[in-house]
Amino acid sequence: MPRLAMPRNAYDILWAEAVSTLARIDRLHRDFFHPDPAGWEPPVDVLETRDELIIIAALPGVHASEVEIAMHDGSLAIVGVRRLPACLQRARVHRLELPHGRFERRVPIPPGRYELTRRDLEDGLLMLTLRRHV
């Protein structure tokens, strides 16, 4: 049975779309952790309820003792260090995508007075709960 050949121009179009999609995926993957001159910036989610503001930051491999939280002038700062695991000091690296070193993320918060009432770092997620004062 003769093999039906896809017209060259349709193949080229599909190939170009596939390459473009892969490039977008790669760019999204690289941008997950935003590098910054002050260090890297962890991604955050900011959620608001009637009484609280909840901020969740992705901090894989970061120990709670390495994180500082500060509120100043309408923003909350999450600052710390993600240390390189000891096993990597003697290993040959084939790929290193997770950021290491100093990090800092400043998150604008809605107007008002807030008090940090809860701070949990579990499974690589830092969850901060800020109670709104009326």
Side-chain angles (χ1 to χ4, degrees), residues 45-49 52-56 126-130:
D45 292 335
V46 179
L47 310 151
E48 186 174 8
T49 68
E52 297 176 325
L53 193 64
I54 301 164
I55 299 171
I56 303 168
L126 172 67
M127 183 179 286
L128 305 171
T129 304
L130 305 168

Side-chain angles (χ1 to χ4, degrees), residues 106-127:
R106 295 192 178 275
V107 179
I109 54 177
R113 289 184 39 227
Y114 296 90
E115 175 188 0
L116 180 62
T117 57
R118 188 169 180 179
R119 171 188 168 152
D120 297 309
L121 181 57
E122 187 175 325
D123 297 330
L125 293 176
L126 172 67
M127 183 179 286

Side-chain angles (χ1 to χ4, degrees), residues 5-6 9-10 41 45 56 64 68-69 74-75 96 99 101 108 122:
M6 182 181 283
N9 59 356
E41 283 189 335
D45 292 335
I56 303 168
E68 295 179 26
I69 308 299
S75 70
L96 194 61
E122 187 175 325

